[in-house]
Amino acid sequence: MPGPGFCGLSPLRVFPSVFVVAALLGLLPVLRSHGLQNTVTSKVSTMGLYIGPGDGDVTSAPPEVSHEVHPVTNHSGPFHGKPRKPFPVLGIDYTHVRTPFEISLWILLACLMKLGFHVIPTISNIVPESCLLIVVGLLVGGLIKGVGESPPVLESKIFFLFLLPPIILDAGYFLPLRPFTENLGTILIFAVVGTLWNAFFLGGLMYAVCMVGGPQINEIGLLDNLLFGSIISAVDPVAVLAVFEEIHINELLHILVFGESLLNDAVTVVLYHLFEEFAGIDHVTLVDIVLGFLSFFVVSLGGVFVGVVYGIIAAFTSRFTSHIRVIEPLFVFLYSYMAYLSAELFHLSGIMALIASGVMMRPYVEANISHKSHTTIKYFLKMWSSISETLIFIFLGVSTVAGSHHWNWTFVISTLLFCLIARVLGVLGLTWFINKFRIVKLTPKDQFIIAYGGLRGAIAFSLGYLLDVRHFPMRELFLTAIITVIFFTVFVQGMTIRPLVDLLAVKKKQESKRSINEEIHTQFLDHLLTGIEDICGHYGHHHWKDKLNRFNKKYVKKCLIAGERSNEPQLIAFYHKMEMKQAIELVESGGVGKIPPAVSTVSMQNIHPKAPSERILPALSKDKEEEIRKILRNNLQKTRQRLKSYNRHTLVADPFEEAWNQMLLRRQKVRQLEQKINNYLTVPAHKLDSPTMSRARIGSDPLAYEPKPDSENLPIITIDPASPQSPESVDLVNEELKGKDSVLEEEEEDERGLVMHPKEPSSPGTDDVFTPEPGDSPSTQRMLRCLSDPGPRPEPGEGEPFIPKGQ
Amino acid sequence: MGSSQSTSEEVRELVGKTGFSSDQIEQLHRRFKQLSGNQLTIRKENFNNIPDLELNPIRSKIIRAFFDNRNLRKAPTGLADEINFEDFLTIMSYFRPIETNMDEEQLEHCRKEKLRFLFHMYDSDSDGRITLEEYRNVVEELLSGNPHIEKESARSIADGAMMEAASVCVGQMQPDQVYEGITFDDFLKIWQGIDIETKMHVRFLNMETIALCH
């Protein structure tokens, strides 16, 4: 968009190009230095990411590691008889760090690219990120080729073992479970039947084309074509995620296409292995087909089973991590990754295992782990999946340049055409069938989006790459066709889907904040429908869901969730979560000095006018209230300072002068805090010290407030202006206070104790004064306390007066 | 069919009134007879025979809804003592799935009816408003399945929800303004984001009366 100043815009435009150039320049010396050491086939090959005479054949035996033959000038032993060189102060040993260096460089390139795209908003509005990344990959690949090296190809092993799992785990862990389970039938039908249809339709038609297509492709048999069909027919989760993320369509369509892309992995795995096996055999018997059918169930259900087992173990482990919070996220990642690897070990569906483990462990793990761990998990998953995705697309581009291609017009064009036709026909047919059973029917608009959103991606490429050239001589042809289809779907369909969505006015995602009202209503509705079903005598959806919930509550939660949380009903957990979120939001926004417009001025007074009669607070005079208010407010700042450097002897000398501005800011912040907390957090002291609350305490959120247990003591506020020890003394009164609607409700959350210091002449800015009066003590106030982070365990001396009360 | 209530003419009449198909009416009638013990009417006590319903936290509200005169479209307030089959069907018709051939107006009407049913369940004293007390009562019932949760928590949740509703429906409020309660229009506003038509339905297609009574 046109900016105000032209010169202001150009640095921004220059930035990404600078990044790109820098990244590429960084690569060049790498390549040059490699050129000097041509004979080095070092450990890099085992990692698979080698820049060598591009062969990329995984099935070849691991290359002999002929060790570094670089000119050994540095470590010549005495018995070599070489002329003695002076001791090298500086030396270069590139091969030592080569592998990690190159990997880091690639990842850095990916990150810089991502950064660059967001600096130029104009392009990223039109072109989805995935396309841009592929283009970058093409450029980089071209550059590397131009330098004279052969660019690296996307090794299947790296792809399946390192790049794909983070994306799938991110998707599975944060899968919106409710819409997923509600539409499970539809998703399964699309995934299984749809993919089968695609594979066979495409394979069959391609076979027909091959028969008549000319001499180049005549030898491709039916099984080969079916294999090709099964590779290319699977909708790719990575591509779908990348494109659909940006267009924000409604939840239903998103979950349908995305769920399909996840669940069709089982079908793809089975078909792939099936046809790969059969490729050597001449004819297929019925037994083979039956076995293939059986293997589908084994692969999918086995994958899910493995995932569930690992998920339960992870949930169980998290129950005991309350003392070592720092490694909690690691458990989640490791167990999920192990689930994936274990499934891959047995040729089961790794993706389904990963999804199942994420879904299984999430509710229990989240109840057990700390708030920080939760945030860590979320951010790490997002980070890894984002980088993985970027790398995948870049490598797709590079591999396109790198690979040896075999272009055959007939084959490629007909593949493309039939892919599209197969997808459209499949979706139409299946929707017609599914709509008979759905309450919420799929409209033609929905069907169009589902068909159009069937993108192919890197999984297809990697599967093609895995083919053995010896068994499949037409591997290059396949790869070319696959790449063409991927490019077409990602570029053409990816770019046009957004304007099409707008054009067709497809319902977009509703940004609804989860409110407590919604939660109450949803639960109410669930119970209502279950009740109606019971009355009708119909064992339907809700009945079984209710039974599952009850089973979960009674048995499973007790095992897998630590401590008190296991009994916490969902509504309360939700409410606490929301409270915490609001409190954090409040604190974060409070420092700016303006009240966010979303703050409502509705308070308890507005909805419950009878509340005043419940006030236990005897009316204090206005001045006393003001004074108390000032003291408490000031104390907030004092508290913070005190806690920073706790030393009871240095407490007395509070540096007033430097803290002046800080105090003014605090007061402003406190004022907003009062208002907002007044509105939302009317929660009285919970007798049930729920772990959410203790998490808030432990989680070192400043100003998180903590309910204190009931106490019989009447709170005593005694002010002692002069204690024997020093002119200004601090007297922390032991208040065990709890609170509710009181006049001073506003201050409830801020203070921790009372601080006293000698009276100063009052002036508008300096109202930190409390006039002591002998007979003033016990005013029955109930106040909530707000603690700054006291650490994982409250100190033993907390809450007691620092200095014994003088008389 | 020999029973006096299921002659084809009456069935057709019911089909017209409630919108169920004749098969569904047959099945529901069978269920009705099971619940009522072959009587012509059902009373509240008959609902105690359903074992699965015992575990439902909002059981009393559900049963009450069947006898609510507002739902039966008989009177603006009060409870009926007993209901006959036609009333039973009327209540059940609130849970029919929406049909594909409905136009916008019918859809809107359907939605409103369903929401009105819900509203009546919340508004127990029939004054047209869900007051804070009634809301608290709802939340308490929802949490009643957990015996060791205290009333305090339920009340605070209800209070918080009520305040949120007030701020959604009225917006900014002065300290002296009072929000009486959630009216039906406010209720509609709260539910605006949620597709009630797609959520509030029970499949009456294949029902086997396998849920036995005592």
Side-chain angles (χ1 to χ4, degrees):
Chain A
M1 47 208 160
F6 190 67
C7 47
L9 212 45
S10 32
L12 284 181
R13 286 194 190 278
V14 167
F15 249 14
S17 351
V18 168
F19 281 144
V20 174
V21 171
L24 295 180
L25 283 179
L27 278 176
L28 286 180
V30 166
L31 305 170
R32 289 251 179 245
S33 66
H34 169 68
L36 293 175
Q37 297 160 33
N38 259 328
T39 53
V40 177
T41 51
S42 64
K43 28 195 177 326
V44 183
S45 327
T46 58
M47 284 298 294
L49 182 69
Y50 57 87
I51 304 180
D55 189 349
D57 196 348
V58 185
T59 57
S60 63
E64 60 284 354
V65 185
S66 63
H67 282 282
E68 289 72 81
V69 187
H70 57 207
V72 182
T73 54
N74 306 339
H75 308 292
S76 47
F79 39 81
H80 270 258
K82 289 207 166 127
R84 196 161 170 274
K85 293 226 161 49
F87 188 78
V89 175
L90 199 61
I92 295 184
D93 187 4
Y94 178 61
T95 50
H96 185 59
V97 296
R98 183 183 175 155
T99 315
F101 195 83
E102 282 168 4
I103 296 178
S104 308
L105 218 52
W106 279 108
I107 299 181
L108 196 60
L109 174 70
C111 299
L112 291 174
M113 286 304 107
K114 248 183 132 60
L115 199 68
F117 295 148
H118 289 280
V119 175
I120 331 174
T122 45
I123 300 189
S124 47
N125 277 339
I126 311 172
V127 185
E129 217 172 86
S130 36
C131 303
L132 291 172
L133 289 170
I134 295 186
V135 169
V136 167
L138 287 173
L139 286 175
V140 172
L143 201 72
I144 299 183
K145 216 168 194 178
V147 173
E149 298 303 323
S150 29
V153 193
L154 180 61
E155 282 277 324
S156 298
K157 203 154 72 158
I158 297 188
F159 175 73
F160 279 115
L161 291 183
F162 298 112
L163 292 179
L164 190 61
I167 302 180
I168 305 295
L169 181 59
D170 180 38
Y173 196 77
F174 294 110
L175 194 68
L177 203 55
R178 221 187 148 96
F180 186 74
T181 47
E182 280 174 8
N183 294 298
L184 193 59
T186 315
I187 294 178
L188 275 176
I189 291 186
F190 273 124
V192 176
V193 180
T195 313
L196 281 175
W197 156 261
N198 275 348
F200 281 100
F201 183 75
L202 191 68
L205 278 184
M206 289 314 294
Y207 180 56
V209 166
C210 284
M211 302 281 268
V212 302
Q216 276 185 332
I217 51 180
N218 260 341
E219 302 94 42
I220 310 180
L222 176 64
L223 284 173
D224 295 329
N225 273 307
L226 285 177
L227 177 62
F228 177 69
S230 69
I231 294 178
I232 196 123
S233 61
V235 177
D236 187 80
V238 180
V240 164
L241 260 181
V243 169
F244 272 49
E245 200 92 336
E246 300 181 1
I247 61 179
H248 301 300
I249 51 171
N250 63 51
E251 203 176 49
L252 172 68
L253 286 179
H254 186 257
I255 200 69
L256 281 181
V257 182
F258 184 59
E260 179 196 343
S261 68
L262 288 177
L263 294 186
N264 66 17
D265 180 60
V267 181
T268 313
V269 165
V270 168
L271 284 181
Y272 181 79
H273 285 296
L274 209 63
F275 291 128
E276 210 191 355
E277 286 291 314
F278 289 168
I281 313 173
D282 275 329
H283 58 265
V284 181
T285 65
L286 190 64
V287 180
D288 296 321
I289 298 184
V290 169
L291 282 180
F293 204 63
L294 209 60
S295 113
F296 166 69
F297 284 107
V298 169
V299 161
S300 52
L301 294 176
V304 172
F305 177 71
V306 168
V308 166
V309 165
Y310 272 100
I312 293 182
I313 299 179
F316 191 65
T317 313
S318 74
R319 186 181 166 180
F320 302 106
T321 56
S322 49
H323 299 287
I324 322 175
R325 295 271 182 202
V326 271
I327 56 175
E328 274 169 346
L330 209 52
F331 278 121
V332 170
F333 300 143
L334 284 176
Y335 276 117
S336 312
Y337 195 46
M338 292 284 290
Y340 179 77
L341 293 176
S342 309
E344 289 285 326
L345 179 65
F346 296 108
H347 272 234
L348 305 172
S349 166
I351 291 186
M352 297 190 83
L354 211 46
I355 304 275
S357 82
V359 164
M360 188 71 206
M361 73 168 79
R362 183 173 178 206
Y364 308 109
V365 161
E366 290 209 336
N368 282 331
I369 62 178
S370 71
H371 186 68
K372 277 183 180 170
S373 300
H374 175 75
T375 312
T376 309
I377 291 180
K378 188 165 98 166
Y379 276 101
F380 261 90
L381 281 180
K382 297 282 173 212
M383 180 182 80
W384 273 329
S385 69
S386 174
I387 285 306
S388 268
E389 198 182 287
T390 315
L391 273 176
I392 288 178
F393 282 113
I394 291 188
F395 267 114
L396 264 183
V398 173
S399 308
T400 313
V401 175
S404 48
H405 294 293
H406 179 181
W407 181 270
N408 179 303
W409 277 100
T410 337
F411 193 80
V412 173
I413 298 296
S414 42
T415 307
L416 195 58
L417 214 59
F418 290 139
C419 258
L420 294 173
I421 297 180
R423 176 82 181 156
V424 172
L425 288 179
V427 168
L428 283 177
L430 286 176
T431 319
W432 174 82
F433 177 69
I434 289 172
N435 269 342
K436 292 191 197 246
F437 300 100
R438 280 182 68 92
I439 300 284
V440 183
K441 316 274 184 207
L442 294 173
T443 65
K445 250 194 261 180
D446 295 336
Q447 293 171 35
F448 176 74
I449 296 292
I450 295 176
Y452 208 67
L455 309 172
R456 313 304 201 268
I459 290 188
F461 179 78
S462 306
L463 283 177
Y465 200 76
L466 271 179
L467 291 175
D468 189 346
V469 158
R470 290 170 301 191
H471 294 155
F472 300 97
M474 67 299 292
R475 180 170 163 266
E476 266 91 45
L477 181 61
F478 284 174
L479 281 179
T480 313
I482 293 174
I483 288 192
T484 315
V485 174
I486 295 179
F487 270 42
F488 183 82
T489 56
V490 172
F491 276 92
V492 175
Q493 287 179 235
M495 269 201 275
T496 53
I497 200 167
R498 202 199 307 227
L500 274 175
V501 160
D502 291 332
L503 195 70
L504 292 176
V506 178
K507 257 200 297 190
K508 294 264 183 128
K509 180 157 75 169
Q510 289 171 317
E511 292 297 340
S512 58
K513 275 191 359 166
R514 284 289 282 175
S515 68
I516 186 69
N517 267 310
E518 217 182 280
E519 184 70 17
I520 294 178
H521 292 318
T522 315
Q523 282 211 3
F524 192 84
L525 201 56
D526 276 341
H527 287 300
L528 172 64
L529 291 173
T530 311
I532 296 286
E533 278 189 359
D534 291 332
I535 293 178
C536 278
H538 170 52
Y539 279 174
H541 213 60
H542 292 97
H543 180 92
W544 294 117
K545 202 159 81 154
D546 193 56
K547 272 219 157 83
L548 186 66
N549 277 338
R550 215 166 290 143
F551 173 73
N552 188 20
K553 196 159 78 165
K554 209 159 159 207
Y555 300 111
V556 183
K557 273 194 180 171
K558 291 221 164 32
C559 291
L560 298 181
I561 300 186
E564 291 256 331
R565 288 304 295 283
S566 52
N567 288 330
E568 206 177 39
Q570 195 196 349
L571 194 58
I572 294 197
F574 182 80
Y575 185 61
H576 284 163
K577 208 163 40 166
M578 281 210 26
E579 275 189 340
M580 258 231 318
K581 227 191 295 188
Q582 277 166 356
I584 293 176
E585 250 175 54
L586 177 61
V587 167
E588 282 176 358
S589 70
V592 183
K594 59 174 168 61
I595 303 177
V599 173
S600 132
T601 53
V602 177
S603 69
M604 274 306 292
Q605 297 291 92
N606 295 109
I607 62 172
H608 199 174
K610 298 200 195 72
S613 67
E614 294 178 10
R615 260 173 39 181
I616 15 71
L617 182 66
L620 290 179
S621 70
K622 269 277 183 188
D623 319 278
K624 298 248 181 64
E625 278 178 27
E626 253 313 299
E627 285 162 332
I628 295 179
R629 213 169 286 184
K630 287 167 199 163
I631 284 264
L632 296 176
R633 243 184 245 137
N634 178 58
N635 196 55
L636 173 68
Q637 175 244 344
K638 297 279 183 263
T639 310
R640 292 214 135 269
Q641 289 200 336
R642 184 190 319 143
L643 282 179
K644 274 187 201 141
S645 58
Y646 173 83
N647 181 341
R648 74 157 81 157
H649 301 292
T650 62
L651 278 173
V652 293
D654 266 323
F656 273 72
E657 292 77 4
E658 67 175 40
W660 214 241
N661 291 336
Q662 207 183 5
M663 185 199 55
L664 289 177
L665 248 167
R666 289 275 167 213
R667 195 172 304 142
Q668 213 173 15
K669 183 173 175 171
V670 155
R671 205 164 279 144
Q672 288 147 30
L673 210 103
E674 294 163 18
Q675 206 159 16
K676 202 143 185 218
I677 289 187
N678 199 19
N679 298 335
Y680 290 106
L681 305 178
T682 61
V683 180
H686 297 280
K687 314 225 170 45
L688 169 77
D689 186 7
S690 89
T692 323
M693 285 321 204
S694 53
R695 257 199 270 166
R697 200 179 342 132
I698 291 172
S700 77
D701 293 320
L703 304 181
Y705 78 103
E706 167 210 77
K708 270 296 188 182
D710 255 313
S711 89
E712 306 315 316
N713 325 332
L714 286 181
I716 301 181
I717 306 173
T718 55
I719 313 302
D720 193 357
S723 97
Q725 274 93 338
S726 55
E728 298 175 341
S729 71
V730 195
D731 192 342
L732 226 210
V733 178
N734 185 15
E735 328 126 358
E736 299 267 297
L737 313 166
K738 55 181 165 93
K740 213 192 176 291
D741 311 325
S742 64
V743 175
L744 299 185
E745 174 176 293
E746 296 102 36
E747 282 82 27
E748 291 161 9
E749 296 75 19
D750 323 325
E751 49 295 329
R752 185 197 168 147
L754 298 177
V755 162
M756 230 292 308
H757 45 91
K759 182 174 180 153
E760 283 160 33
S762 42
S763 51
T766 66
D767 44 355
D768 311 314
V769 168
F770 185 88
T771 324
E773 270 164 60
D776 203 31
S777 335
S779 33
T780 332
Q781 303 179 13
R782 295 162 158 218
M783 289 185 267
L784 278 175
R785 286 215 315 214
C786 176
L787 298 181
S788 318
D789 178 19
R793 276 186 206 83
E795 279 119 33
E798 211 183 12
E800 301 186 20
F802 289 123
I803 299 169
K805 288 198 251 291
Q807 281 321 100
Chain B
M1 317 178 253
S3 160
S4 57
Q5 268 213 314
S6 47
T7 57
S8 36
E9 204 182 276
E10 289 190 22
V11 169
R12 247 178 285 134
E13 202 185 304
L14 288 172
V15 167
K17 268 198 203 157
T18 58
F20 282 115
S21 75
S22 41
D23 294 323
Q24 292 172 333
I25 294 187
E26 278 296 302
Q27 290 195 319
L28 282 170
H29 187 61
R30 248 180 279 148
R31 181 63 177 170
F32 183 82
K33 283 205 288 199
Q34 210 180 33
L35 285 177
S36 67
N38 279 321
Q39 305 292 315
L40 287 178
T41 58
I42 294 189
R43 314 180 83 89
K44 278 205 185 142
E45 298 77 51
N46 294 108
F47 283 102
N48 295 336
N49 299 332
I50 308 174
D52 293 315
L53 205 55
E54 303 293 315
L55 302 167
N56 202 314
I58 57 172
R59 177 179 72 255
S60 57
K61 282 212 181 324
I62 299 179
I63 297 178
R64 201 170 175 284
F66 271 83
F67 293 90
D68 195 330
N69 274 331
R70 293 172 293 174
N71 292 334
L72 299 170
R73 302 192 189 128
K74 286 185 180 161
T77 57
L79 293 179
D81 285 330
E82 47 186 23
I83 54 174
N84 59 20
F85 182 56
E86 190 178 323
D87 298 325
F88 187 71
L89 278 187
T90 312
I91 303 285
M92 284 300 175
S93 70
Y94 285 104
F95 295 95
R96 263 181 43 235
I98 54 171
E99 274 141 38
T100 35
N101 49 4
M102 282 190 184
D103 57 6
E104 274 301 317
E105 204 186 297
Q106 281 179 316
L107 212 60
E108 189 58 34
H109 175 78
C110 205
R111 185 188 158 84
K112 267 209 173 137
E113 285 304 302
K114 291 187 196 256
L115 283 175
R116 209 180 290 272
F117 186 84
L118 269 186
F119 188 76
H120 291 160
M121 285 186 82
Y122 284 112
D123 180 24
S124 33
D125 59 4
S126 315
D127 62 354
R129 292 178 172 281
I130 306 177
T131 60
L132 184 62
E133 278 310 314
E134 287 167 344
Y135 214 28
R136 280 181 181 166
N137 181 267
V138 168
V139 177
E140 269 164 29
E141 280 205 0
L142 273 181
L143 292 176
S144 61
N146 308 276
H148 48 264
I149 301 295
E150 310 137 1
K151 277 195 139 206
E152 291 279 315
S153 325
R155 283 181 63 185
S156 51
I157 294 180
D159 292 346
M162 195 68 174
M163 287 200 289
E164 196 189 88
S167 61
V168 163
C169 304
V170 184
Q172 305 286 355
M173 288 181 80
Q174 304 306 317
D176 52 343
Q177 275 182 284
V178 176
Y179 183 63
E180 297 287 335
I182 307 179
T183 62
F184 186 58
D185 291 319
D186 294 339
F187 197 64
L188 286 178
K189 244 192 261 182
I190 298 176
W191 275 90
Q192 206 147 28
I194 316 173
D195 281 339
I196 185 83
E197 312 91 54
T198 61
K199 291 201 158 101
M200 184 164 154
H201 58 77
V202 172
R203 288 170 192 267
F204 290 106
L205 283 175
N206 18 337
M207 278 167 33
E208 315 95 51
T209 43
I210 44 180
L212 302 168
C213 308
H214 293 304

